[in-house]
Amino acid sequence: MALYKLGSYGQEVHDIQQRLTELGLYRSPIDGKFGGATQSAVIIFQRKHGLTADGKVGAQTWGELFKENIPSPPIRQKSLDYRCLSLTASFETGAGIPDSFAGISGDFDGQGISFGALQWNIGQMSLQPLLKEILRRSPAAMHEAFGAELSVLEAVLHENQHDALAWARSRQHPQKHFIHEPWRGKFKALGHMPECHTVQVDFAHNRFLRAQQMAAAYGLHSERGIALMFDITVQNGSIGATTRSLILHDIQALPARLPEEEREVRKMRIIANRRAEAANPRWTEDVRRRKLCIANGSGTVHGISYNLWEQFGIGL
């Protein structure tokens, strides 16, 4: 059963904030992010209704708020590749669905404009095919997002790399690389659309297949194992030969009679730690926290609390 608390995010948190607003207890933005203001409003509500005032929305508090049972997160009905992409996108952007699919950044890295869960970009000519495919499959969604500016964007999608980069750089601050309106808002609008999510998942599918192959190579069989490998393909690229040898040595040294689930978790922890040790020293601990969060099924990354089963439906 899901538990919503400080650091949680998503549609259910949005619904909690909406309900608390209706009750006059919450006066901050309804953004789907369970922050201090949401926690305070929950505590006030709990005290009014004689509940344990812990600032967390579990089954009892949810039932009192909505007079119904706490729902199972809709994401659990999604495919595993969608869930893996959502988790990694959240790590990358610090946001939940749908904002994690709508990340947009400027030319700070020389790529013009980068967009989406995996930051497809103009400089590497990876964003243009993504947008063309959304336009091919869902022209109405592109028209809804970009309106009169769609014709401009369509022309840019057929430009060469040099001219496309020049256009992208002309739509942002030259030093701070902040995308100017209306373009920032229009890309965000597109990123919030389910049609855009579907295409992004398809464009990330090769990484997902690679993650499945990597998981099998290390004897991992769980959804968390595939999610771990998917995150490695995105953040780290791969696992080098030396690191692979160390991982396999450590796995072989595990006790023979471990329960199946414990063995799976220990393997993932070995992979998480060994891959972190192989990263640039500047990023070692960041990689470790992120990978151990997946291995353990929960943790804190960039100040955000994660529970993979409750938030993403990714389990053992």
Side-chain angles (χ1 to χ4, degrees), residues 2-315:
L3 175 69
Y4 303 99
K5 58 184 179 179
L6 199 64
S8 297
Y9 56 82
Q11 183 60 50
E12 290 76 20
V13 177
H14 181 282
D15 294 343
I16 290 167
Q17 292 172 329
Q18 181 66 51
R19 180 61 179 145
L20 291 169
T21 298
E22 293 169 359
L23 296 171
L25 303 177
Y26 180 74
R27 296 176 177 83
S28 295
I30 298 173
D31 56 8
K33 298 177 181 179
F34 202 122
T38 306
Q39 184 185 55
S40 296
V42 169
I43 289 173
I44 294 170
F45 175 83
Q46 289 170 328
R47 286 174 177 163
K48 283 178 173 285
H49 292 268
L51 303 172
T52 301
D54 57 4
K56 301 174 183 178
V57 179
Q60 191 173 19
T61 299
W62 182 281
E64 192 65 37
L65 267 172
F66 298 100
K67 304 303 180 184
E68 61 184 29
N69 293 330
I70 195 165
S72 174
I75 194 171
R76 292 184 189 169
Q77 308 304 317
K78 298 286 189 179
S79 62
L80 181 58
D81 53 352
Y82 179 99
R83 287 177 277 146
C84 288
L85 179 59
S86 299
L87 173 62
T88 289
S90 181
F91 287 154
E92 292 283 315
T93 64
I97 303 166
D99 286 336
S100 57
F101 283 86
I104 183 167
S105 57
D107 196 44
F108 72 95
D109 56 359
Q111 302 305 325
I113 289 176
S114 301
F115 170 73
L118 297 187
Q119 291 291 276
W120 290 275
N121 59 76
I122 286 178
Q124 295 178 354
M125 304 287 284
S126 57
L127 178 56
Q128 292 91 318
L130 179 82
L131 295 175
K132 286 178 181 178
E133 183 61 14
I134 299 171
L135 182 61
R136 184 187 72 81
R137 294 192 203 179
S138 307
M142 290 289 281
H143 279 283
E144 182 179 342
F146 289 97
E149 280 76 20
L150 180 58
S151 60
V152 175
L153 182 61
E154 286 187 82
V156 172
L157 296 182
H158 293 88
E159 294 282 9
N160 60 47
Q161 181 192 47
H162 178 271
D163 291 342
L165 278 170
W167 175 85
R169 288 164 180 159
S170 72
R171 265 62 183 180
Q172 59 190 278
H173 192 283
Q175 283 83 42
K176 297 180 180 179
H177 308 303
F178 190 87
I179 309 297
H180 295 314
E181 294 293 358
W183 292 99
R184 179 179 179 81
K186 291 182 180 296
F187 271 103
K188 284 284 188 182
L190 178 66
H192 288 167
M193 295 179 177
E195 297 91 338
C196 180
H197 299 182
T198 299
V199 175
Q200 289 190 46
V201 171
D202 289 348
F203 268 58
H205 192 63
N206 284 341
R207 288 184 184 269
F208 179 73
L209 294 177
R210 186 177 171 199
Q212 288 181 311
Q213 294 168 353
M214 291 171 65
Y218 292 96
L220 297 176
H221 61 269
S222 66
E223 292 183 344
R224 285 217 315 254
I226 295 171
L228 174 62
M229 293 306 185
F230 183 87
D231 197 65
I232 287 173
T233 69
V234 173
Q235 187 186 31
N236 314 108
S238 63
I239 296 175
T242 300
T243 303
R244 172 181 167 81
S245 296
L246 291 170
I247 290 170
L248 293 175
H249 177 271
D250 291 348
I251 288 175
Q252 289 171 358
L254 289 172
R257 296 186 178 181
L258 284 175
E260 184 177 353
E261 287 193 359
E262 184 176 349
R263 176 174 292 276
E264 181 85 355
V265 172
R266 288 208 193 182
K267 285 181 182 180
M268 287 189 285
R269 288 172 180 164
I270 289 169
I271 294 167
N273 283 307
R274 287 299 190 183
R275 189 58 190 84
E277 291 162 4
N280 184 316
R282 182 181 177 187
W283 308 113
T284 295
E285 292 311 310
D286 178 70
V287 174
R288 193 189 312 277
R289 280 191 296 272
R290 183 160 155 172
K291 301 301 179 283
L292 283 176
C293 177
I294 301 175
N296 295 327
S298 62
T300 301
V301 179
H302 302 147
I304 299 174
S305 297
Y306 289 90
N307 182 299
L308 270 65
W309 175 245
E310 291 181 357
Q311 295 168 307
F312 300 94
I314 297 175

